[in-house]
Structure formats: structure tokens, C-alpha cells
Amino acid sequence: LTKKPREPLEPLELREGQQLEGRYRDQWHSATVLASDAASGSVRVQWAEEDWGETELQVADVRTEGTEVTEPGDTLAIFGPLRARRAAELRILGLVESKCPGASAPALAMLVTETAGLDFGL
């Protein structure tokens, strides 16, 4: 499977009082913007948890509430003859599609087009 380079995220427009989520120890927690500094790329937040107080975070460590951030996944290498590799790719993409509908549709469509001459009966 081929990985596409990640597209840069659109910059967040942060304003005082805005509700968002901040990353602390690889987990996301609710917070409120107190101030932001575009020049340094930092934002000062007040955590929703009362005893956590205020923290200065980098913009990369904040997101609007409910936003899912997709991290790059692992690479899967498939070895063997072309026909067997394509069959394995189709099975894997089918499994991904059954768990996350729409996630692998573009790759699946491209793969089906590429495998047209391999007589898979698609």
C-alpha cells in the first residue's frame, strides 16, 4: 500500500474564551483559550479540570473540540507474485472498509482499476 504525504492542517483561528482540546501526555483534554501568540505559535489555556490550572501549549497541541486527528499509520509490506500481492491488498482494504466505511474507498477504486487485467473476476 502506498502512503500519501499528509496535507498540512489549516491553521486554527484562536480567540480568547474559545473552547478547545489540548494535548497533555498524549491524551486530549478540554480547555479554554486565555491568550494566543501567532508569532511564537503558542496558546495559553485554562484546563477544564479545576486543579490543573493554566498551561502554555504549542498550536500543534490544540484542536477544536471533537476534531479527530489522524496520525500516519504503519506501513504494510506484501511480498510475493503480483497476483497474490493484489489479492492480499484487496482483502486488507476490504477489511479496513468494513471497519471504517469510506476510509479506503479511493485506494480500493484505484486498486480495482489496476487489477483489471489480472482476471480477478471483478
Side-chain angles (χ1 to χ4, degrees):
L1 301 175
T2 307
K3 269 191 192 178
K4 292 182 183 175
R6 286 181 72 184
E7 294 180 18
L9 298 174
E10 292 195 22
L12 281 176
E13 291 189 27
L14 302 172
R15 62 189 182 289
E16 190 175 330
Q18 179 180 357
Q19 299 296 309
L20 50 69
E21 293 178 330
R23 183 175 20 214
Y24 178 73
R25 293 189 180 172
D26 294 328
Q27 292 185 6
W28 294 96
H29 303 276
S30 295
T32 303
V33 174
L34 298 176
S36 66
D37 182 7
S40 68
S42 64
V43 58
R44 187 140 195 87
V45 299
Q46 170 72 47
W47 296 107
E49 289 82 1
E50 291 179 24
D51 58 341
W52 283 22
E54 299 177 10
T55 305
E56 189 165 321
L57 299 171
Q58 292 300 306
V59 174
D61 291 324
V62 297
R63 66 181 186 187
T64 56
E65 287 188 308
T67 303
E68 289 296 321
V69 176
T70 305
E71 299 294 331
D74 294 325
T75 301
L76 174 66
I78 303 172
F79 298 94
L82 178 60
R83 183 180 164 93
R85 288 195 320 260
R86 292 295 186 243
E89 284 181 276
L90 286 168
R91 276 189 235 115
I92 291 164
L93 288 172
L95 290 170
V96 169
E97 191 66 23
S98 70
K99 297 289 183 182
C100 303
S104 62
L108 192 55
M110 181 182 71
L111 192 58
V112 167
T113 302
E114 289 177 358
T115 59
L118 295 177
D119 192 29
F120 278 98
L122 298 176

